[in-house]
Amino acid sequence: MAERKPIESWLTDMDGVLIHEGVPIPGADAFLKKLRESGKPFLVLTNNSIYTPRDLHARLRRMGLDVPVDNIWTSALATAKFLDDQRPGGTAYVIGEAGLTTALHDIGYILTDHEPDYVVLGETRTYSFEAMTRAVRLIKGGARFICTNPDETGPSAEGPLPATGAVAALITKASGKKPYFAGKPNPLMMRTGLNTIGAHSETSAMIGDRMDTDVLAGIEAGMQTFLVLTGLTAPEDIDRYPFRPSHVVNSIADLVDRV
């Protein structure tokens, strides 16, 4: 096996790696501080499309974690980048929150329910039957179906919540059309993120707590991968997958000295 090049840039998931249920994971602050001091390019990634990078910056800061706005990359931004490349200045019917609508406004998209080019589904805590019905009819009428991420459940203090992937399955069943998912594990999200910070996959690493999104996306984007055990994956889960991370560590604290 060819020897890996030194890691010059880092991508890390947020939930399960840096924070858990609104509380910083021990070592997260030290890891981020070391990254900022090193001057190495880095991104904090999230498949959650609810919040804008400014929102997330403020939320993380309240938890004691300092992540500059320009170092946050969301599935909403990846979706907007994809649509801007595919059909600049297009139109979309959107089910989602400010993170997604702001990203689409920023690329010049018009949000409409009148013959849109795309139906774009993102994360929200207020999915309405009326909006989903409208989406199904627009897709049947010819709109292309795009989804920010395939996560079927999301975390909450009370337990798992139905997430974007679950709602996408409902719309798919009713419309007969499957969506294109822009977020993890699609390596598109990783590659657009790397391009944003001017980094190369051969000298980049991805840190995550999920085998099916973080690790898979990192592998398919050609990066080294680090699986932390502070999130959704237990050690006994790893061998259930046909792929493996480059490294398995207990938590982000174990990577402070790797920066």
Side-chain angles (χ1 to χ4, degrees), residues 9-11 32 35-36 40-44 67-68 70-71 197:
S9 53
W10 293 83
L11 276 63
L32 292 169
L35 274 178
R36 294 193 307 271
K40 292 180 179 178
F42 76 94
L43 280 180
V44 172
V67 182
D70 290 343
N71 294 99
I197 59 174

Side-chain angles (χ1 to χ4, degrees), residues 8-255:
E8 297 176 1
S9 53
W10 293 83
L11 276 63
T12 176
D13 188 36
M14 187 169 66
D15 293 308
V17 179
L18 302 177
I19 61 174
H20 179 68
E21 294 183 0
V23 178
I25 291 172
D29 184 38
F31 180 78
L32 292 169
K33 184 173 184 290
K34 192 83 173 290
L35 274 178
R36 294 193 307 271
E37 292 173 347
S38 73
K40 292 180 179 178
F42 76 94
L43 280 180
V44 172
L45 290 86
T46 177
N47 256 359
N48 190 318
S49 64
I50 291 179
Y51 304 107
T52 68
R54 288 179 62 189
D55 295 334
L56 290 171
H57 165 75
R59 289 168 66 88
L60 290 168
R61 190 147 200 172
R62 285 196 298 270
M63 298 177 203
L65 300 179
D66 185 10
V67 182
V69 172
D70 290 343
N71 294 99
I72 296 173
W73 190 246
T74 71
S75 64
L77 294 175
T79 300
K81 178 72 172 86
F82 170 74
L83 292 178
D84 194 32
D85 288 342
Q86 290 283 305
R87 188 179 287 261
T91 59
Y93 176 70
V94 178
I95 299 176
E97 301 287 347
L100 181 55
T101 57
T102 300
L104 293 176
H105 277 305
D106 286 347
I107 62 166
Y109 256 55
I110 294 172
L111 307 189
T112 178
D113 63 357
H114 179 67
E115 298 182 353
D117 298 318
Y118 298 97
V119 166
V120 184
L121 174 67
E123 200 79 35
T124 177
R125 295 290 182 262
T126 56
Y127 289 112
S128 80
F129 185 77
E130 181 182 356
M132 289 187 284
T133 300
R134 186 65 177 153
V136 168
R137 291 172 180 169
L138 290 171
I139 292 167
K140 278 184 167 291
R144 300 154 188 84
F145 187 16
I146 304 292
C147 190
T148 56
N149 66 286
D151 299 47
E152 295 172 352
T153 60
S156 79
E158 295 79 26
L161 296 169
T164 316
V167 179
L170 183 154
I171 294 174
T172 292
K173 196 72 174 177
S175 68
K177 297 291 179 66
K178 294 181 179 180
Y180 179 79
F181 294 104
K184 297 177 295 181
N186 189 343
L188 172 81
M189 181 168 175
M190 321 299 279
R191 294 191 182 281
T192 52
L194 289 171
N195 290 341
T196 299
I197 59 174
H200 196 285
S201 59
E202 286 187 353
T203 54
S204 298
M206 174 66 197
I207 310 166
D209 70 310
R210 294 183 60 149
M211 290 287 290
D212 58 347
T213 55
D214 305 318
V215 172
L216 180 58
I219 290 172
E220 292 190 346
M223 295 187 285
Q224 285 195 61
T225 54
F226 290 83
L227 177 72
V228 296
L229 302 176
T230 47
L232 294 175
T233 305
E236 59 269 20
D237 296 331
I238 299 171
D239 287 336
R240 297 175 187 168
Y241 293 87
F243 51 87
R244 293 183 61 84
S246 309
H247 311 274
V248 179
V249 296
N250 288 323
S251 76
I252 193 73
D254 298 314
L255 298 178

